[in-house]
Amino acid sequence: MSAAMTRLFNDPADFTEEALAGFVQLHADLVQAVPGGVVRATETPPGKVAVVIGGGSGHYPAFCGVVGDGFADGAVVGNIFTSPATSDAISVAKAADGGGGVLFSFGNYAGDVMNFGLAQQRLRAEGIDTRTVLVTDDIASAGRDEVHKRRGIAGDFVVFKIAGAAAEEGYDLDGVERVAIAANDRTRTLGVAFAGCTIPGQDEPLFQVPAGRMAVGLGIHGEPGIAEEPQPTADELAERLVSAVLAEAPQDGGRVGVILNGLGTTKYEELFVVWRSVAPRLADAGFEVVAPEVGELVTSLDMAGCSLTVVFLDEELERLWTAPATTPAFRRGSTAASGSAQRRRPEDAASAADDDGVPDASDASKAVAGTVTRALGAIAEAMREHESELARLDSVAGDGDHGRGMVRGSHAGVEAAEAARDAGAGSATVLRRAGDAWGASAGGTSGVLWGAALAAAGDRLGDEAEIGSADVVEAVAAGIAAVRELGKAEPGDKTMLDAMVPFADALTAEAEQKSLPDAWSAATDAAEQAAQGTAELSPRIGRARPLAHKSVGTPDPGAVSFGLAMRAVGQVISGEHEESA
Ligand code: ADP
Ligand code: MG
């Protein structure tokens, strides 16, 4: 297959950063880069609510393309199809905050929920009132009785637009939150795809649609559709989309905002042909279309396909939907020439400079920190070796980014650990710094969970105490407890926990009779077996859930990578691992 392809990049690992750099250069009149994303080029007026949106990249104009007057104040920018890190969300929110509080809004994906959720906690602790409104417009991703499980797709645009307009009108944080929730409650989308999309640097699309067929109900991360149907004509497609979306209409007739959205490689002319028959069908059903948008608003790299979004308006939502906006990718009407708006000063890049100092540590703890650092190095090596296998597992029912995320996270983790170790850190500090760096670099669900696990394990070990096998066993348990608490998954949900819990149980039992290396090895066998055993499970949480049936038969990528990581650590503990540097 050579059809689906992202062709223009340098080092694929730099794609997001380089795309963002070009975007910011081009639109310097409207936006400015800050660590973790972009904000408007003008200061947020004192007291105005800051609407901060975000998610992974690969969706342009979403999300950085709609930062500007009347729309978002800032966008947190993650890697391709990967949640931004907690630290990114905090950084953008602080840059955007004008004292009126922050509304986070983003599509309902586990990684984003965890990272923005942690960011919200920390911002509140620092006195910045922060709220979150998840977008759940995709009617294909869960039933009507489980709307809270639905993911956000092109309806993101509607909710962000309406929240941004409300903030611009001077609504307070309660008010902006209220209309964002109302907009989400009244927005429905269904999408279809004709061909998959390809992550830069990969030569296979994340999924394929057989010739002459159409995938219905796909997500915007290349998650395959929930049904496959024959490729329709443009008019048949219009009928298919309109009837599905109207089947969920909260009202009979009325005024609606509409988006016919191209997903990346569907031409505007094709969309116009479909639109020609969407509008009359809505009119026939008693709906009057207000300020429709036809074009690319929320894309999925080079995916071929489109989606139809309808927002069922009331008077307030209509006013906000039609309010003016001036952003790099979207303009409506003209926003008041903001002559009084203060341009931001170029951010002093030094502000993020690291403080290399480390807390005092005992020699015993420093020695363990050395082993921990080598163990992280072994994990990083293992992830690099298995990157494409993990990507493949994750592309069956997930979004294909697990290999990349684990490589990025583990490599950043080992670098941070080495720096801390060289500065004389003990094991707690080494693990905490590795965890922060892992979460910040990997993004995604697994990144934030691994980051939290390493930090929690470190907290259990401390920087002073002597560390014996029992402490290692407890540190492992503490790390796993952190994953459970943050991810809210249970064993059997088909996540990394399904390998972690058997690992911890076996380690606890075996360490009572065996040396740590032998116990670790037995526990790794248990983890790997359990990871393979997840193939039979059907996911109940995370990105793979909407595609549960496709996932059966394939093991959970996060469980498999955990097994690989523990195998690598075991080799360090038992002295089998050769330093490859
Ligand atoms: P994303 O799901 O954001 O794309 P990754 O692809 O890197 O992130 O990681 C996917 C893995 O994360 C899954 O295979 C699963 O093991 C794990 N995971 C997802 N959600 C949870 C959760 N709530 N708790 C624990 N692990 C989870
Ligand atoms: Mg993934």
Side-chain angles (χ1 to χ4, degrees):
M1 266 294 279
S2 62
M5 197 83 216
T6 295
R7 293 182 179 84
L8 298 178
F9 47 85
N10 299 304
D11 181 343
D14 298 334
F15 186 85
T16 298
E17 286 85 346
E18 293 186 356
L20 194 61
F23 165 77
V24 170
Q25 270 175 35
L26 181 64
H27 293 290
D29 54 329
L30 292 173
V31 297
Q32 187 176 93
V34 292
V38 303
V39 293
R40 294 188 196 176
T42 50
E43 299 275 359
T44 304
K48 178 186 172 296
V49 172
V51 174
V52 175
I53 62 175
S57 296
H59 306 300
Y60 193 86
F63 302 99
C64 58
V66 292
V67 170
D69 284 354
F71 222 126
D73 294 274
V76 192
V77 179
N79 261 295
I80 297 282
F81 293 176
T82 303
S83 164
T86 306
S87 51
D88 298 330
I90 292 173
S91 158
V92 175
K94 283 186 173 171
D97 178 42
V102 173
L103 180 84
F104 278 146
S105 190
F106 48 89
N108 184 27
Y109 296 93
D112 296 299
V113 171
M114 289 179 210
N115 281 298
F116 281 92
L118 282 179
Q120 171 171 323
Q121 271 175 28
R122 293 200 200 157
L123 289 163
R124 282 185 173 169
E126 291 183 37
I128 300 177
D129 195 354
T130 307
R131 315 282 174 83
T132 294
V133 176
L134 301 176
V135 184
T136 57
D137 59 307
D138 180 8
I139 62 175
S141 54
R144 248 183 272 199
D145 50 336
E146 290 190 316
V147 168
H148 64 284
K149 287 190 176 171
R150 288 182 173 177
R151 59 197 174 198
I153 50 176
D156 285 348
F157 185 91
V158 173
V159 177
F160 303 165
K161 166 74 180 71
I162 285 172
E168 208 70 59
E169 275 192 10
Y171 281 44
D172 65 8
L173 188 55
D174 287 337
V176 175
E177 183 184 24
R178 176 181 59 75
V179 292
I181 290 171
N184 181 57
D185 283 348
R186 296 175 146 268
T187 301
R188 310 280 189 278
T189 301
L190 181 66
V192 297
F194 313 115
C197 54
T198 309
I199 305 249
Q202 304 210 350
D203 38 39
E204 284 286 313
L206 283 174
F207 70 97
Q208 313 234 11
V209 183
R213 310 284 290 171
M214 164 176 89
V216 179
L218 77 165
I220 53 167
H221 302 97
E223 303 97 324
I226 54 161
E228 215 181 84
E229 297 174 9
Q231 159 89 52
T233 64
D235 286 354
E236 285 162 0
L237 179 61
E239 173 56 32
R240 177 80 178 83
L241 294 176
V242 168
S243 58
V245 170
L246 289 189
E248 291 223 355
Q251 65 202 40
D252 294 336
R255 293 165 71 79
V256 289
V258 184
I259 297 173
L260 182 61
N261 176 55
L263 283 165
T265 25
T266 298
K267 285 202 283 286
Y268 276 64
E269 282 92 339
E270 294 176 274
L271 296 175
F272 296 154
V273 173
V274 177
W275 178 252
R276 175 193 143 273
S277 105
V278 165
R281 280 169 211 276
L282 287 167
D284 286 350
F287 291 95
E288 188 173 341
V289 175
V290 180
E293 291 296 327
V294 176
E296 294 190 342
L297 297 173
V298 180
T299 61
S300 187
L301 290 172
D302 58 336
M303 193 189 295
C306 64
S307 61
L308 179 71
T309 301
V310 174
V311 51
F312 299 89
L313 299 166
D314 60 18
E315 212 172 292
E316 182 182 41
L317 293 178
E318 177 169 344
R319 189 185 74 245
L320 298 168
W321 169 244
T322 54
T326 305
T327 74
F330 176 81
R331 279 164 206 259
R332 177 170 283 167
S334 80
T335 47
S338 27
S340 58
Q342 191 77 16
R343 269 196 84 80
R344 281 176 200 274
R345 256 168 297 179
E347 212 71 19
D348 53 324
S351 67
D354 278 354
D355 171 10
D356 278 348
V358 295
D360 288 341
S362 68
D363 287 343
S365 187
K366 285 184 197 173
V368 174
T371 310
V372 164
T373 304
R374 277 186 291 121
L376 286 164
I379 293 177
E381 238 178 78
M383 293 307 126
R384 188 179 284 286
E385 210 173 298
H386 294 276
E387 177 177 353
S388 52
E389 175 194 339
L390 295 172
R392 202 180 58 244
L393 292 177
D394 192 31
S395 66
V396 171
D399 52 1
D401 64 352
H402 188 60
R404 190 97 283 264
M406 290 299 290
V407 168
R408 285 181 68 104
S410 58
H411 281 79
V414 72
E415 266 176 37
E418 281 168 356
R421 176 202 59 193
D422 293 348
S427 26
T429 301
V430 161
L431 276 163
R432 270 191 221 119
R433 297 219 175 154
D436 283 352
W438 188 312
S441 299
T445 319
S446 61
V448 63
L449 291 171
W450 268 89
L454 295 180
D459 286 344
R460 171 62 189 75
L461 293 179
D463 277 337
E464 296 291 343
E466 297 273 339
I467 294 165
S469 306
D471 302 296
V472 173
V473 172
E474 282 182 27
V476 166
I480 293 169
V483 169
R484 239 177 140 142
E485 159 149 12
L486 183 59
K488 309 255 182 314
E490 292 297 327
D493 285 349
K494 192 162 188 169
T495 70
M496 59 173 85
L497 269 182
D498 289 311
M500 287 176 155
V501 171
F503 178 84
D505 289 349
L507 188 65
T508 307
E510 301 279 345
E512 282 171 15
Q513 304 124 27
K514 295 184 182 160
S515 69
L516 186 62
D518 289 346
W520 196 281
S521 162
T524 301
D525 292 342
E528 288 185 334
Q529 211 181 339
Q532 292 307 319
T534 60
E536 289 158 30
L537 298 174
S538 175
R540 292 200 291 254
I541 197 163
R543 271 198 191 161
R545 191 200 51 77
L547 299 153
H549 60 287
K550 301 221 178 198
S551 159
V552 175
T554 303
D556 177 66
V560 171
S561 61
F562 177 76
L564 291 167
M566 292 308 102
R567 179 73 61 205
V569 172
Q571 283 165 357
V572 170
I573 295 180
S574 63
E576 284 166 32
H577 184 264
E578 306 270 316
E579 197 91 21
S580 63

